[in-house]
Structures are given as C-alpha cells and as structure tokens.
Amino acid sequence: MSLGTGPAAPARTDPGTSLTAARRARELARTVGGPAVDVLVVGLGATGAGAALDAAARGLSVAAIDAHDLAFGTSRWSSKLVHGGLRYLASAQFDVAHESAVERGVLMERTAPHLVGAQPFVLPLTPLVSRGQAALARAGFRAGDGLRLAARTARATLPVPRRLSVVETRHLAPAVRGAGLRGGLLSWDGRLTDDARLVTALARTAAGRGARVLTRVRALELTGSGARVRDELTGEEGEIRARAVINASGVWAGGLVDGIRVRPSRGTHLVLRPGVLGPLPAGLHIPVPGETNRFVLVLPQDDGRVYVGLTDEPVEGGVPDVPEVPESDIGFLLDVLASALDVPVLRDDVAGAFAGLRPLLDTTSANGSDSAPRTADISRRHAVLTSPDGVVTVVGGKLTTYRRMAEDAVDTAVAAQGLGAGPSPTASLPLVGAASPQALAALRAPRRLVRLYGTEAPAVHALGARDPHLRAPVLEGHPVTRAELLWAAHHEGALDESDLLDRRTRIGLIPSDRTRALEAAREVLGETLGSR
C-alpha cells in the first residue's frame, strides 16, 4: 500500500482501531471459553503486537494478550533508535546488518514515517579518539551508508555521512570540550519519536484488522492448543483455545516454555531535564574510553529532555517486571560524558533513569557459564523455536527488526498448523497515523503532535481547541496536554494512571514529574468512566 504524495486527508479516526476498556471487556468475554482462534499471541511488546498484526493482516483470527499493558516490558526502554546495522558489520554479522537496514527503511518510508525520522549524530574527535580510531569510525559510517544503499533507502531519507570541521562540530555539539578538538564525524540513523507509541500503533492497527488486543490478561500455562489465563483486573481464570500459539514474551519467554534459555542484558539510560546540556542540534556518539567500537549516545528528545545511554551488562537471577537502575550504571555513563563534554553533568542533574532488558538467546552450554561471552558480544540474531507440543517462541533480535521477527514467527505457526494464510503483507502496510511526508507536513496541527499521532494529530489537537481545560498542559514545563491523556483513554487502551503517564506519554520517566501529574491523570480517567 502506497502512502501517496498528495494533500493531507481530512482528520478522522477509524473506530475499528480504537482500544477502550469497554472493547476489552467485550472481546475478553467472547475469547475466554469461546471458540478457538487461529492464532494466540502472548506478549504485547513490539514483536508480539507485530505478530498480532501480521497474523490478522493475513486474514487469520487473532487474540493477543499481555499480563500488563502495551509496551510494558523491554519495548518501552529502548534507545528510541532504529538502527541501520552498522555495529553488526564490525562483528561480521552481515546478515543481521542488512536485515536491520532493510527494516529501518520499511519503518521510515512505508509503515511509520510519522514515528521514525532521520537523526543526525556527531562523533567529536577529542584527544581521547586516536587518528586510527577516527579512520575506523569514518570507514564504518561509509559502510553504513552502503547498507542504506543496499537496503534501497532513499538518500533524501538518510543524508550522507561526512567529516566536520571544528567550527561545524562546535555548532552541532556546543557542549563538547573545545580543547584539542580536531573536528567531528557526522552520521545519520533512524530515530523513533517514542518506542511505546510504536507498539500502541501496532496494536491498534492489528485491532483494525480484527485482532482482539487484551491487556491485563496473564498466561498461566501455555500449550500448543491454547493457554490457561487469568484476568488481572478481576482474578477470574479461564481457557483461550487456539490452533497456533506464539510466545513473544521476550525476557520472560523461558518462564512459559521449557527449554528456552534467555540471557538478559541490561541497557540503562539517564534522563536529563531540558537545558542541562544546553542546545543540542544533533545527538552525540561519545566513545567509551578504552573500547574500540562502543559508544555512549546522547539523544535529545522532542519534549526537551535528553537521554544518555546505554550500558550493556548481564543480568543474573530472576527477571523483574521493571528493572532497577544500579548506581554503577549511572556512574559509568556520567564518567563517559565527563570525558568529552565541557558542561559538567553531576549526579544531581540526573532527573530520572530507566533500564531495559534485552532478550538475548543463550546458546552457550548449560554448564559453560565460565566461557560465556559478554552480553555485548552475543549475536542480535533472532530465533524462532518450536516446542515439542507446538508452541512457537520468538526470541532475540531487537526493536528495529520486530516486523521481520513477527513475520518469521507467524510463518512458522502457519506452516506447522496448516493454517490457510498467504505471505505477510506488513512490509507495505502503514500503521495507524502513517502518511507520506508531504501529507504529514500539510496537517493542521502542532508538529510535536504530528510526530506522535501522525494523521490523527488534528483530532487530538481539536479536543484542546474545543475545551480550554483539555488544552492545558498536564504539568508546568512539560508539553503533554490533558487532551492527550483523554485520547489515550478513549482510543489507545489506557486503563489506569500508569498506562497514561508511563507508556502513552513518557511523563513518568522523571519520578517527580509523575507525582505532579497523577491528579490530572486520575481526573481524566474519572471523566472517561463517568461518560460511559
């Protein structure tokens, strides 16, 4: 399906894509204890929501469940980058690199151009970056541009990387220390406006194709013919029957299917308030001292905040619902910043922090822990595994390649169960809100809303235009309005304050902001419930 290049269409929302508490209740009632669906997907992160969309787009009946909310797990804790695969070239994972570049192009040009745009990065050539390292990095960026070309992503989508003078580097990265600076290297990659919003768009697009998207439904036991589940809102238990079952629960996959061993890796990011680093026209790649091919990213956000990350540390023991951020990770990231920036960033400047767990497939022998590689060295290839009783598990990979992971999982389930379905159409299926750059630019709505909601931005903006109370910011100094909270409750499946503040918006990344916004979130939820 082409996004087209014509004028913007009138703002409207397809009711079939709207997720609400009432719709959840209706669809849960007909799913638990009801006739078998073709495909049951467990997990509503990017891969699970992508699998639900893939199966529904092939004409299969689908139920997709999650014990919590959309994007509750790893998918909301990413770097917000849609990588072109450059880092995988360095480790000779050429197939992974090419797959990443292809999927980046799919997102930027076909399925989600409203959510994924080009992000410039500067690698400052400070005295800590040797000339040999600089030459290696420059060769890598050229190779990355070759990946772009091989993936057939347009030059207009991702500009050419190039060397920067000292003056240009200081202009794009004014926070970088000037003493000894030899210039910089400019490169480009894809960046998500918000990873949790991508998952929401996937789930809503799947719902528009008939998938039953059921949050707060926990899988207690999986078999090849369905699952025993519990409604986490009521405590009631029951059975969902299915002809095929896909386990897309990420780092929790091994808890549902025997024989799946996941080796989680923790990636930590700091959240800095607007202004701490001064103006940031571009993101930064800051080399980790003593490492050849490892960088800390400094990524400015549309709301003025800045994310700094990320670490890559193995996680031992049980997998928590929400990972804690250790002080050692915060200290490491601050030390790397201090190696390159003129602007001092102190512990008190860190307003928030978050950590995500990458679900890396553990392929080492069960008793080979002494020789296990660092998690930074484990392949980002994904795997699709089928248990003896027929449960299909998809694990590994990364956010950028969620669509290909979902396609492979559904392909496996369809073939194993003999389901009547054709090939996946998702590489050309626009998500809710998607449109061509020309159509998006013509929308009559603030650019910030267009980057979050795409073609639905005028409808969100209209809520505030009609009601000054909804036009008001949720809290002083932050751009999110009450209209956005109301939209999340009416169309995006938000059921409680955490859904509104921690996933549909990202106010909750700074705990003090979350506390101040709670009252507004509760008021919106109360108004929503009262209007039913």
Side-chain angles (χ1 to χ4, degrees):
M1 183 184 299
S2 172
L3 292 175
T5 58
R12 61 179 182 272
T13 299
D14 177 1
T17 68
S18 293
L19 299 175
T20 64
R23 178 172 180 171
R24 174 194 177 275
R26 289 194 307 271
E27 295 188 337
L28 182 62
R30 60 189 279 239
T31 303
V32 176
V37 294
D38 290 325
V39 179
L40 170 64
V41 179
V42 179
L44 280 167
T47 304
L53 172 56
D54 189 287
R58 301 189 200 203
L60 300 171
S61 60
V62 178
I65 65 173
D66 194 284
H68 300 286
D69 182 30
L70 305 175
F72 180 84
T74 302
S75 292
R76 64 168 158 150
W77 303 128
S78 77
S79 293
K80 316 299 179 282
L81 292 180
V82 177
H83 287 294
L86 178 59
R87 66 173 294 182
Y88 310 113
L89 287 181
S91 55
Q93 298 179 53
F94 301 114
D95 55 342
V96 180
H98 182 259
E99 181 178 271
S100 296
V102 168
E103 293 303 321
R104 177 184 63 183
V106 167
L107 279 162
M108 297 184 77
E109 296 185 337
R110 283 181 262 169
T111 63
H114 59 310
L115 290 173
V116 187
Q119 172 66 44
F121 281 98
V122 173
L123 194 166
L125 300 178
T126 69
L128 292 178
V129 181
S130 71
R131 295 189 182 278
Q133 285 177 306
L136 185 62
R138 193 171 187 184
F141 291 143
R142 288 200 194 101
D145 193 51
L147 281 174
R148 174 206 59 78
L149 181 63
R152 300 183 179 180
T153 302
R155 168 68 70 212
T157 301
L158 285 168
V160 65
R162 64 182 181 89
R163 175 73 185 259
L164 297 173
S165 68
V166 172
V167 172
E168 289 174 314
T169 302
R170 293 287 290 170
H171 173 72
L172 290 175
V176 170
R177 188 173 299 124
L181 186 68
R182 308 192 307 275
L185 300 177
L186 176 66
S187 61
W188 298 79
D189 215 338
R191 192 199 76 167
L192 272 164
T193 305
D194 188 329
D195 46 6
R197 296 210 62 79
L198 173 66
V199 178
T200 300
L202 285 165
R204 290 185 58 204
T205 309
R209 296 280 177 142
R212 306 170 199 172
V213 177
L214 305 172
T215 59
R216 304 316 200 279
V217 177
R218 183 181 297 275
L220 302 174
E221 182 182 354
L222 287 188
T223 69
S225 58
R228 186 167 62 88
V229 301
R230 180 175 65 228
D231 181 352
E232 296 291 76
L233 298 183
T234 65
E236 296 179 3
E237 296 185 9
E239 302 285 335
I240 297 178
R241 296 193 297 131
R243 297 175 183 86
V245 177
I246 296 176
N247 174 20
S249 54
V251 289
W252 297 276
L256 291 171
V257 177
D258 291 338
I260 303 296
R261 295 197 300 128
V262 177
R263 193 170 181 215
S265 167
R266 184 182 64 245
T268 293
H269 292 79
L270 311 181
V271 183
L272 308 181
R273 285 195 183 277
V276 169
L277 294 181
L280 280 175
L284 299 176
H285 284 132
I286 301 180
V288 175
E291 304 247 6
T292 303
N293 190 39
R294 192 177 173 199
F295 304 90
V296 163
L297 305 177
V298 177
L299 192 60
Q301 302 299 301
D302 289 344
D303 61 8
R305 296 171 176 177
V306 176
Y307 298 159
V308 178
L310 75 167
T311 61
D312 202 331
E313 300 296 332
V315 174
E316 306 298 336
V319 179
D321 282 347
V322 179
E324 295 288 332
V325 175
E327 284 294 325
S328 57
D329 283 9
I330 296 175
F332 165 78
L333 293 170
L334 290 177
D335 287 345
V336 176
L337 285 183
S339 73
L341 301 188
D342 248 346
V343 178
V345 183
L346 307 177
R347 179 63 181 84
D348 288 346
D349 293 320
V350 179
F354 60 89
L357 301 181
R358 305 177 188 88
L360 307 181
L361 182 64
D362 190 350
T363 57
T364 60
S365 60
N367 58 0
S369 57
D370 291 342
S371 59
R374 298 187 313 164
T375 52
D377 299 326
I378 294 178
S379 172
R380 272 15 179 206
R381 290 182 178 90
H382 67 270
V384 178
L385 310 170
T386 304
S387 69
D389 69 346
V391 176
V392 174
T393 296
V394 55
V395 71
K398 53 199 176 296
L399 183 68
T400 303
T401 58
Y402 82 86
R403 192 206 63 81
R404 180 59 186 273
M405 294 169 66
E407 177 182 338
D408 288 351
V410 176
D411 279 348
T412 301
V414 165
Q417 303 304 324
L419 301 178
S424 172
T426 56
S428 58
L429 179 61
L431 304 184
V432 166
S436 69
Q438 296 89 339
L440 293 173
L443 292 173
R444 296 184 177 179
R447 292 302 94 189
R448 185 186 73 84
L449 293 183
V450 173
R451 287 191 291 269
L452 290 167
Y453 300 94
T455 57
E456 294 185 324
V460 179
H461 184 57
L463 291 175
R466 289 194 298 265
D467 185 342
H469 178 66
L470 293 176
R471 188 166 61 242
V474 173
L475 70 161
E476 186 178 352
H478 198 282
V480 172
T481 66
R482 289 171 180 257
E484 292 171 69
L485 299 187
L486 186 65
W487 184 268
H490 282 185
H491 298 285
E492 297 178 343
L495 301 179
D496 64 16
E497 296 93 337
S498 294
D499 293 356
L500 291 176
L501 300 179
D502 299 335
R503 289 170 289 279
R504 304 305 182 277
T505 69
R506 307 313 287 272
I507 291 172
L509 287 175
I510 295 180
S512 59
D513 287 353
R514 188 185 195 281
T515 299
R516 290 191 295 143
L518 269 174
E519 182 179 353
R522 288 169 180 159
E523 286 178 3
V524 167
L525 288 170
E527 293 164 3
T528 301
L529 291 173
S531 65
R532 288 176 191 155

